[in-house]
Amino acid sequence: MKFNELGLIAPILKALTAQGYAEPTPIQRQAIPPALKGRDVLGCAQTGTGKTCAFAAPILQRLHADVVVGPRYIRALILTPTRELALQIQESFEAYGKYLPLRSTVIFGGVGQAPQVERLKNGVDILVATPGRLGDLYGQKLIDLSRLEIFVLDEADRMLDMGFIHDVRRILGWLPAQKQTLFFSATMPPEVQGLVDSL
């Protein structure tokens, strides 16, 4: 199977080809078609199996299909446990969305918030975030998630291991009830299964 058999549009296929992608991995083959249809997806896959592409490509395509006229607002949120992962995911969105007019940015703790806040004020379609910094900026009323369309929880089991599960539950309470949820975890411990069931 090739990427062009998954239902992806030409600008995304062109970007994937430029990144050296030829054949989709199992998680990409299984997750991309239902995600493109707007369905919720629960993916169990190890790190390094291409799951960022499995959620990023459908998100880019779905947001591009419904272009928003006027100021940009956060339409997709990707929550991930570490700064390193957040940066990698943001780089992937930039690479796969190279030929699309969508804007993404990343926020994480451990650095000053001013440049991150400035980018948010300029308007973004896609936000990649770690739980701590997202909570900080939301608490300061610098982030509006009321019109969110797609939510991704990445590395759910690592969130649990790192003690972020309560933050995740709190963040879920800020999101609209009607949204597409894409949930990825390398393993499925009972606490993560409980979170899945609540979503």
Side-chain angles (χ1 to χ4, degrees):
M1 179 181 258
K2 303 286 185 200
F3 272 98
N4 61 6
E5 296 172 65
L6 296 176
L8 293 168
I9 56 174
I12 295 174
L13 290 171
K14 184 180 174 186
L16 290 174
T17 302
Q19 290 290 309
Y21 286 75
E23 292 187 7
T25 64
I27 189 72
Q28 291 161 358
R29 280 202 305 273
Q30 293 169 357
I32 289 174
L36 284 173
K37 290 182 183 142
R39 292 171 60 192
D40 291 350
V41 173
L42 169 59
C44 208
Q46 298 295 332
T47 302
T49 52
K51 70 182 161 19
T52 301
C53 179
F55 62 75
I59 288 172
L60 288 163
Q61 182 153 325
R62 293 198 65 221
L63 297 188
H64 179 62
D66 278 326
V67 176
V68 172
V69 178
R72 292 170 193 261
Y73 52 86
I74 299 166
R75 299 171 63 199
L77 170 66
I78 297 86
L79 196 62
T80 193
T82 68
R83 167 187 179 159
E84 291 73 28
L85 266 169
L87 285 163
Q88 284 170 21
I89 292 168
Q90 166 63 7
E91 283 171 11
S92 296
F93 269 103
E94 285 181 353
Y96 310 149
K98 186 177 178 182
Y99 304 108
L100 297 175
L102 295 165
R103 260 194 234 153
S104 60
T105 195
V106 60
I107 60 169
F108 48 80
V111 295
Q113 72 175 42
Q116 297 177 1
V117 170
E118 193 59 36
R119 286 198 299 274
L120 288 168
K121 282 182 177 163
N122 290 335
V124 296
D125 306 286
I126 300 158
L127 178 64
V128 183
T130 55
R133 180 52 57 97
L134 180 68
D136 288 346
L137 298 187
Y138 186 85
Q140 295 172 53
K141 297 192 168 34
L142 295 169
I143 286 180
D144 176 13
L145 299 170
S146 64
R147 290 183 285 181
L148 193 79
E149 297 165 36
I150 306 169
F151 172 62
V152 179
L153 184 62
D154 190 31
E155 303 275 352
D157 48 356
R158 281 185 70 187
M159 291 275 194
L160 182 71
D161 294 341
M162 293 172 72
F164 286 134
I165 208 79
H166 299 299
D167 293 321
V168 171
R169 289 189 191 282
R170 194 163 48 101
I171 289 162
L172 289 171
W174 305 337
L175 310 181
Q178 280 297 104
K179 64 186 173 303
Q180 180 181 14
T181 302
L182 308 172
F183 191 109
F184 291 89
S185 191
T187 59
M188 211 44 77
E191 296 92 331
V192 170
Q193 188 62 55
L195 197 59
V196 171
D197 294 342
S198 73
L199 288 168

